[in-house]
Amino acid sequence: MSQTHPIQWVRGQHTRVPYAVYQNQDVLEQEQKRVYEGPTWNYLCLEAEIPEPGSYRTTFVGRAPIVVARDTDGEIYAFENRCSHRGALICLEKVGTAKDFQCVYHAWTYDLQGSLKGVAFEAGLNGAGGMPPSFCKEDHSPRKLRIATFCGLVFGSFNDEVDSIEDYLGPEICARIERVLHKPVEVIGRFTQALPNNWKLYFENVKDSYHASLLHLFFTTFRLNRLSQRGAVIVSESGGHHVSYSMVDAPQAEAGKQYQEQGLRSDQEGYKLADPTLLAGFKEFEDGITLQILSVFPGFVLQQIQNCLAIRQVLPRGVEKTDLNWTYLGYADDTPEQRNVRLKQANLIGPAGFVSMEDGAVGGFVQRGIAAAGEDQAVIEMGGDSTSSSPSRVTEASVRGFWKLYRRLMDI
Amino acid sequence: MDTVSLREKIAAFQAAYIRCIDNNELESWPDFFLPQCRYTVTTADNHRDGLAAGLIWASNRAMLQDRISALRHANIYERHSYRHIVGQSFVTASQAQTTSVETPFMVARIMHDGETSLYCTGVYHDVYDTSTDTLRLQSRIVVCDSSRIDTLMAIPL
């Protein structure tokens, strides 16, 4: 592509990120074409959310509105939610069941696969009007997406060249998704958090294992996640996906001392819960991992915090606006007691989450902070310049990995 | 307790409740609830679909106290306050010991820099314990009309 980019970047260097990449309208436009409609898989919904023939949901790939539906053949299809006639939304509902879809504007009709099937008054009325005989409905369907499912997750791609979902994710990410989604899940709640920042600031935050124990006091105080606990960061070959995980060890006096010596705000003594059962979960993962945050480029997050499971979908709404769609999960075979634990631990996550509420605000702090940053750049050098997996979580390797793939797709 | 005085008590209770939050006297907020209580903040969509998870989900008063201590000592957020306006309560059921009430509300959020916006509208679905002279909430399900929450929810509704 020969378009000139508004962003100047030192080639091959991932330790600096020009702030303009979070501020520029042209970048957002190009992201739609090159990232979201490029060789990537975008999370659409759960298979469990469209269980029956005729079930559908509407969602987005980047800013493109999408219908994802299950046809009578049991297969899942997705297409751009844009009428081939004048461009109106074909489907206005968030969720439902349908035999077909009809645009409300001029009643053009589409089947569950998104193929144009009916044009109102196509043959005119009383021999007058109508479409010319040369008009071919087959040539006028909305853009259709390729579909891939993995562990009950439905992904879509506008791109014909994209790898299979297994190759796209890579074996390590696949295994870490399978670890959580190894049996049928059930949605137990949905919330949207409107973030006052560019989508990349949130997605970087997800990948940033360095901040977790520093910004989020709730984690550190209750030893849900200390950098000194055992854990690691896995970065996929492409750089775009990551897993950060940890397991709680017996209290480590030495590690605690390291935090105190740093004089960190996030280590306050004496903070106790009136109801300590908030963190009293049950062991359901044999590997002992109590926290796993997994991201799939460009906007999917799967989290396990103890027994609290959720999916987050990151969608751009504008240069400085992002929607974070939370889907809280339980397993279909949960006992009432297990379900109760998940509901209780869900206090940790979401817009009001003891742990994640800060993540909703911190992107806005950056967005406002860089208002006059000009051509200046962010420093992303913790752990050097590596973009590979690391036994230490005091690293920004997975953030640099994100930029590695992002820049390859954006050609900058 | 006759109906008129119960309505007056509920109105006074609602007024005291929102005054407590809006005046930033949050340490007193759990006292509006019974020790064994339920408090959930959810959305109209989740409520309609029977999805149990909440933005905030508490099954006892100690969890409400934890909300406030986390707010005061743990969580990071920009200084802001709410202004609640509650509408007329509608009694949906009256039993010997309890009364169920729905009350619509609107909440404006005032940021530290003065930016004021309509933050949330919804309905309190309440069950009051009317067995003693002092009203207490046995259950308050805060059903927000919208599923979109701007930035974060630190202060309870």
Side-chain angles (χ1 to χ4, degrees):
Chain A
M1 296 194 208
S2 61
Q3 279 172 291
T4 54
H5 278 279
I7 306 298
Q8 298 306 313
W9 221 318
V10 180
R11 194 149 286 275
Q13 186 200 67
H14 304 304
T15 58
R16 296 291 183 277
V17 176
Y19 289 122
V21 81
Y22 308 110
Q23 299 171 312
N24 190 289
Q25 184 68 38
D26 291 342
V27 168
L28 187 72
E29 310 289 340
Q30 291 186 29
E31 284 169 351
Q32 182 62 37
K33 289 292 161 215
R34 298 182 186 213
V35 172
Y36 294 107
E37 298 180 22
T40 57
W41 285 108
N42 295 270
Y43 172 72
L44 301 178
C45 65
L46 292 163
E47 284 191 77
E49 292 180 295
I50 43 170
E52 306 293 334
S55 302
Y56 70 84
R57 292 190 71 82
T58 53
T59 182
F60 294 87
V61 167
R63 286 179 302 152
I66 302 293
V67 179
V68 52
R70 194 182 288 273
D71 198 0
T72 47
D73 63 1
E75 297 294 314
I76 295 170
Y77 297 87
F79 53 95
E80 190 172 12
N81 189 6
R82 169 163 63 90
C83 183
S84 307
H85 178 216
R86 298 298 305 274
L89 291 169
I90 296 166
C91 178
L92 301 174
E93 298 296 329
K94 204 183 277 181
V95 57
T97 52
K99 285 207 250 330
D100 52 27
F101 298 101
Q102 190 173 64
C103 176
V104 294
Y105 200 174
H106 302 90
W108 286 29
T109 308
Y110 301 86
D111 66 15
L112 290 162
Q113 302 186 18
S115 300
L116 176 61
K117 289 295 178 186
V119 170
F121 302 121
E122 185 176 7
L125 204 55
N126 302 324
M131 295 296 271
S134 61
F135 180 79
C136 175
K137 288 199 286 290
E138 286 73 26
D139 297 340
H140 291 272
S141 287
R143 290 194 290 169
K144 295 182 179 180
L145 282 78
R146 289 180 61 188
I147 292 290
T149 58
F150 186 78
C151 287
L153 305 168
V154 181
F155 293 91
S157 182
F158 275 111
N159 193 282
D160 290 332
E161 311 291 309
V162 65
D163 289 336
S164 73
I165 189 70
E166 289 82 3
D167 288 348
Y168 181 75
L169 296 169
E172 288 176 305
I173 304 295
C174 283
R176 294 288 171 157
I177 294 176
E178 284 168 337
R179 183 186 158 273
V180 178
L181 302 178
H182 61 279
K183 57 179 175 176
V185 292
E186 234 170 53
V187 174
I188 60 173
R190 294 187 187 88
F191 304 97
T192 295
Q193 195 170 2
L195 306 177
N197 53 264
N198 188 271
W199 68 274
K200 299 187 289 298
L201 287 170
Y202 183 79
F203 204 54
E204 284 181 287
N205 176 270
V206 167
K207 290 170 177 287
D208 170 7
S209 52
Y210 173 37
H211 88 282
S213 65
L214 299 169
L215 176 65
H216 307 303
L217 170 62
F218 209 83
F219 258 4
T220 46
T221 303
F222 296 100
R223 295 171 190 272
L224 271 177
N225 176 39
R226 278 177 182 256
L227 290 181
S228 47
Q229 289 171 347
R230 276 197 298 140
V233 177
I234 300 167
V235 187
S236 70
E237 184 73 29
S238 66
H241 327 306
H242 101 292
V243 181
S244 172
Y245 69 91
S246 65
M247 46 190 88
V248 179
D249 284 332
Q252 296 175 4
E254 188 49 36
K257 221 172 98 198
Q258 285 175 18
Y259 262 80
Q260 281 165 8
E261 282 164 2
Q262 298 273 320
L264 299 174
R265 173 190 57 74
S266 61
D267 200 2
Q268 297 182 5
E269 288 297 327
Y271 179 53
K272 293 200 168 56
L273 290 176
D275 179 5
T277 67
L278 176 69
L279 304 178
F282 56 98
K283 184 166 181 178
E284 62 181 333
F285 297 102
E286 286 307 313
D287 55 16
I289 290 173
T290 49
L291 181 146
Q292 176 182 290
I293 305 292
L294 179 152
S295 69
V296 175
F297 189 94
F300 169 83
V301 183
L302 174 67
Q303 66 145 71
Q304 173 227 335
I305 302 177
Q306 296 202 348
N307 306 109
C308 175
L309 313 174
I311 283 167
R312 312 177 207 164
Q313 182 192 33
V314 184
L315 291 173
R317 299 267 299 193
V319 173
E320 299 187 356
K321 278 187 180 177
T322 300
D323 267 2
L324 180 59
N325 291 324
W326 291 86
T327 306
Y328 294 11
L329 301 177
Y331 292 116
D333 66 357
D334 279 348
T335 65
E337 293 74 22
Q338 290 172 332
R339 186 58 62 85
N340 231 42
V341 167
R342 296 193 210 285
L343 294 170
K344 198 163 190 174
Q345 291 183 355
N347 280 292
L348 298 170
I349 64 164
F354 285 134
V355 170
S356 39
M357 87 166 65
E358 286 97 4
D359 292 325
V362 77
F365 298 165
V366 174
Q367 196 80 51
R368 280 145 56 194
I370 63 176
E375 293 174 3
D376 215 345
Q377 309 171 96
V379 177
I380 303 175
E381 212 161 354
M382 193 57 67
D385 60 3
S386 150
T387 56
S388 12
S389 302
S390 154
S392 164
R393 284 174 300 138
V394 191
T395 179
E396 292 168 315
S398 44
V399 181
R400 288 187 292 272
F402 167 79
W403 291 111
K404 184 172 107 176
L405 179 56
Y406 176 90
R407 290 177 64 180
R408 181 158 70 74
L409 294 175
M410 291 286 281
D411 195 22
I412 48 179
Chain B
M1 208 182 281
D2 68 75
T3 309
V4 173
S5 78
L6 180 59
R7 280 179 187 282
E8 283 171 357
K9 279 192 165 194
I10 289 171
F13 181 96
Q14 305 267 18
Y17 181 100
I18 63 173
R19 181 175 183 272
C20 168
I21 293 175
D22 294 355
N23 284 358
N24 193 22
E25 294 161 3
L26 296 173
E27 282 70 13
S28 306
W29 170 67
D31 298 339
F32 290 91
F33 295 82
L34 293 173
Q36 289 307 313
C37 64
R38 187 168 169 215
Y39 174 80
T40 306
V41 180
T42 187
T43 69
D45 284 353
N46 287 330
H47 190 66
R48 182 200 59 217
D49 296 342
L51 302 182
L55 290 160
I56 302 175
W57 188 96
S59 54
N60 59 57
R61 190 163 67 192
M63 291 182 72
L64 302 182
Q65 290 162 352
D66 289 335
R67 272 276 151 194
I68 303 309
S69 49
L71 204 65
R72 297 296 196 210
H73 307 298
N75 288 124
I76 307 302
Y77 52 94
E78 287 182 278
R79 192 162 50 79
H80 64 282
S81 62
Y82 290 162
R83 181 63 61 203
H84 282 74
I85 304 295
V86 293
Q88 300 285 327
S89 295
F90 182 82
V91 177
T92 55
S94 269
Q95 264 105 39
Q97 309 283 306
T98 62
T99 298
S100 301
V101 176
E102 292 179 10
T103 308
F105 67 86
M106 297 178 91
V107 176
R109 183 181 59 188
I110 303 93
M111 299 304 295
H112 60 95
D113 65 354
E115 187 186 313
T116 302
S117 59
L118 181 59
Y119 176 64
C120 187
T121 69
V123 177
Y124 292 124
H125 291 250
D126 296 337
V127 179
Y128 289 91
D129 171 26
T130 52
S131 63
T132 63
D133 278 348
T134 311
L135 280 187
R136 288 276 186 271
L137 283 165
Q138 191 177 87
S139 168
R140 166 161 277 193
I141 312 300
V142 185
V143 181
C144 302
D145 294 323
S146 168
S147 297
R148 289 170 69 85
I149 304 297
D150 183 62
T151 309
L152 56 75
M153 182 178 290
I155 303 171
L157 295 167

